[in-house]
Amino acid sequence: MTLLRPSALKPGDLVVIAALSGPLQAVYEPNVEKTVVVLERMGFRVRRAPLVEAGRHHWWSAATPAEIAAELNSLLRDPEVRAIVANDGGQTALGYLDLIDFEAVRADPKPILGYSDISLLHLVLYARTGLVGFHADMATPGFGGNWQTAPAPRRAELEDLYTRLLTSTEAIGALPPSETWECWRPGRAEGPLIGGVINRIVLAQATRFALPLESFDGAVLFWEEMGGLASYVWSYLQVMRHSGILDRISGMVVGIPREIDGLEELTLREIVLDVLGDRDIPVLGNVEVGHAGPNLPMPVGIRVALDAQQRKLSLLEPATSTPHPDRSNRR
């Protein structure tokens, strides 16, 4: 697949916080305000989209799928907007996949940041356009939440990492590890980084927006999960086994599980190795990629190197490209 790298951001560029799925609850209004501070400290101008309004909702969503798609498309088409940060995850992206303006994505690719339900958006945009999606922290549970309680040195490390990821056209190299990382199966692998919340990977593959199976050839699959049962995770992995995904990947990165019932009796490592069977691929476990946060950014589609035994994951390519000359003065 041909990668579509979004244009690198410059100081002063406009970043918009958008409600791409769930609503903003009034109690989390301070989180949005703190996110603005974080992004401004990175050097960007920040604006919130109209649907990011405390108390506004439709069922479990910020608005109807059509309204959310309309706002997303307007941001994709707006030349002043240089990046989009999801406010939160939720249960809505499946409702508007067929309403996305894919041509606007191709015409002016922009970084879109988010995880949880937003990981479905990353997978679909990657499948349809080749866009590098930023499976990374978002506003309410990320920059305005987990970042605020992290130790100061870790916050500084993450702020530098995110700034370089968004503004530099050089490869980041090794991501900063932590003590939680575990080698579940040794080995080395190199390939494109593909993944998200495990249930969203499975759901995406059940739609007409699915990634072609060959997209997983040699890929390093990353995934995480929040909620539900341990048996659900085992079942999702079995679906990927039956679909042929596990036979195609070269390595696996597993996020820290959160609020999964049943992991008291067995470990996530046991579940993963049970389904993998004799597939001899490296597996790195308990990496900060998801709901356990703060997140290490996982740019979907970027080539990475994994060394599970050394507990090392490196981004071998830049996630952004040099801005086109006609996009250089859009502020």
Side-chain angles (χ1 to χ4, degrees), residues 38 115 135-159 161-162 175-178 180-181 255-256 258 286-298:
V38 171
Y115 64 95
H135 185 280
D137 270 319
M138 41 196 174
T140 290
F143 300 120
N146 292 324
W147 278 46
Q148 304 301 316
T149 58
R154 185 62 167 176
R155 288 201 308 272
E157 187 175 49
L158 287 170
E159 190 170 309
L161 177 63
Y162 273 67
L175 292 174
S178 72
T180 65
W181 293 22
I256 300 170
R258 183 177 171 188
N286 284 337
V287 179
E288 305 94 321
V289 289
H291 290 84
N295 269 270
L296 292 174
M298 297 281 118

Side-chain angles (χ1 to χ4, degrees), residues 19 38 42 52 71 76 87 118 120 154 171 178 181 183 203-204 208 234 263 273 284 313 315 330:
V38 171
M42 292 183 191
V52 183
E71 185 161 278
L76 294 172
N87 176 61
I118 312 306
L120 177 65
R154 185 62 167 176
S178 72
W181 293 22
C183 174
L203 287 172
R208 61 187 172 94
W234 182 85
L263 291 184
L273 296 184
L284 182 64
L313 181 64
L315 306 185
R330 290 178 175 250

Side-chain angles (χ1 to χ4, degrees), residues 90-205:
Q91 299 288 338
T92 312
L94 275 169
Y96 64 82
L97 299 180
D98 53 340
L99 302 177
I100 298 171
D101 187 347
F102 294 113
E103 285 306 316
V105 174
R106 296 186 185 98
D108 186 9
K110 306 170 183 182
I112 299 175
L113 281 69
Y115 64 95
S116 194
D117 194 34
I118 312 306
S119 66
L120 177 65
L121 194 59
H122 295 321
L123 291 168
V124 169
L125 291 177
Y126 179 61
R128 285 300 176 98
T129 70
L131 181 71
V132 174
F134 291 66
H135 185 280
D137 270 319
M138 41 196 174
T140 290
F143 300 120
N146 292 324
W147 278 46
Q148 304 301 316
T149 58
R154 185 62 167 176
R155 288 201 308 272
E157 187 175 49
L158 287 170
E159 190 170 309
D160 174 70
L161 177 63
Y162 273 67
T163 303
R164 286 188 292 127
L165 192 75
L166 290 167
T167 63
S168 175
T169 55
E170 301 293 326
I172 293 295
L175 292 174
S178 72
E179 294 180 355
T180 65
W181 293 22
E182 296 176 349
C183 174
W184 290 355
R185 179 168 284 171
R188 298 178 181 177
E190 187 175 313
L193 189 62
I194 298 178
V197 181
I198 191 169
N199 65 72
R200 291 305 191 264
I201 300 171
V202 171
L203 287 172
Q205 292 307 106

